[in-house]
Amino acid sequence: PYILEIVQDLIKALLQNPLCLEPLQEKFIPTIVSILSLQGDQANTAKQDIALDVLTTIVRYSKPPLSAALVESAFPAMVHCVLRSDDNAVMVSGGECLRAFIFVSPEQICSYKNGEGLNFIMQLTTMLLNPMNNEMTAGQVDRLVITIITKMGNMLGENVDLLLKAVISKMQLAECLKVIMSLVVIFAHLFLTQMDAVLNFLSTVPGPTGEPAMQFVFSNWLAKQTSFFGTFERKV
């Protein structure tokens, strides 16, 4: 853990030098892709979450358009690694990595292989929101969902509704306060930025137990509001 933190700082510094960007990617990306491609017992001992964290740093400090190595090689390897994993750390790191890709170059990622990129985004995000998975996989999902909606906007089409329905489904079974706060912040953000759209969505979609989604979201929100803490309290 100590070496990783120092290496991450070195990578950040190097990536901010345009002359280092390409050589660094040439050195790191093939190794990262090979780690992410491991399966079975090899994957369990390879610390794929660390490889994802390093990839996140490389993407976050790269300038758009992202290189072919990142989009054509690292991006699909990252998605496939996370989709077949049952390791919470890998799922959470994968969500942050996906967020970095979308934040830096949303059009590039969405249009990967004629729309396959959008399918990948939806598959990975709905997996993090799957009520059957460990709820801690959704501990930082607010950052990802808000970035998807903010950065991809019109590219999403009907997928916005699917995303928000998945958020509501996750909210039904969530018990951990951190996860509930993460899910509520998504709606809080939408009330600030897209009031009419989110009101329309919540008033026309049924909640998990049959009542309007508006009633379900607000009853969960208000019941837990007094317990919110840290940045979540201020955001909400």
Side-chain angles (χ1 to χ4, degrees):
Y2 304 108
I3 292 174
L4 178 65
E5 199 171 316
I6 296 166
V7 170
Q8 293 274 47
D9 288 340
L10 283 169
I11 293 170
K12 290 174 194 175
L14 289 168
L15 286 169
Q16 289 169 65
N17 179 341
L19 298 176
C20 295
L21 189 59
E22 195 172 322
L24 187 139
Q25 289 190 12
E26 286 174 1
K27 282 285 185 186
F28 273 79
I29 292 174
T31 303
I32 290 171
V33 169
S34 68
I35 293 171
L36 297 181
S37 301
L38 295 172
Q39 298 185 43
D41 292 338
Q42 285 182 312
N44 293 333
T45 57
K47 301 302 290 179
Q48 290 179 323
D49 55 322
I50 291 176
L52 288 166
D53 289 343
V54 175
L55 177 58
T56 301
T57 301
I58 293 173
V59 174
R60 193 171 282 155
Y61 287 88
S62 297
K63 300 281 189 293
L66 294 171
S67 67
L70 280 172
V71 176
E72 303 294 330
S73 180
F75 174 63
M78 177 274 292
V79 172
H80 291 309
C81 169
V82 179
L83 288 178
R84 66 172 171 260
S85 179
D86 56 5
D87 184 322
N88 291 342
V90 170
M91 292 185 199
V92 172
S93 294
E96 281 298 292
C97 192
L98 177 62
R99 178 175 175 264
F101 272 105
I102 295 166
F103 189 88
V104 174
S105 193
E107 293 87 0
Q108 230 181 331
I109 296 306
C110 187
S111 59
Y112 167 76
K113 284 199 174 175
N114 296 320
E116 186 66 19
L118 179 56
N119 290 338
F120 280 164
I121 291 166
M122 290 301 298
Q123 279 181 280
L124 203 154
T125 309
T126 50
M127 184 184 86
L128 294 176
L129 289 166
N130 186 336
M132 297 301 108
N133 284 339
N134 184 307
E135 63 179 301
M136 291 314 296
T137 60
Q140 297 177 351
V141 80
D142 55 309
R143 291 152 55 92
L144 174 58
V145 174
I146 289 169
T147 300
I148 291 171
I149 293 172
T150 305
K151 289 285 186 178
M152 298 180 67
N154 297 332
M155 293 180 260
L156 289 172
E158 294 178 357
N159 288 305
V160 176
D161 284 8
L162 294 175
L163 267 182
L164 295 181
K165 285 175 182 173
V167 172
I168 289 172
S169 294
K170 189 73 174 179
M171 199 181 282
Q172 183 186 13
L173 296 178
E175 294 179 355
C176 172
L177 186 60
K178 184 173 186 290
V179 175
I180 294 167
M181 291 191 298
S182 177
L183 300 171
V184 166
V185 160
I186 294 168
F187 287 105
H189 177 85
L190 291 173
F191 276 113
L192 284 173
T193 58
Q194 302 182 36
M195 175 73 82
D196 290 345
V198 73
L199 282 175
N200 182 57
F201 170 80
L202 289 172
S203 57
T204 55
V205 170
T209 52
E211 80 280 48
M214 184 87 74
Q215 183 182 330
F216 174 76
V217 168
F218 271 104
S219 59
N220 273 277
W221 183 339
L222 296 172
K224 300 289 194 301
Q225 171 80 42
T226 53
S227 305
F228 285 7
F229 58 86
T231 56
F232 286 104
E233 182 184 14
R234 293 193 291 279
K235 285 179 180 177
V236 174

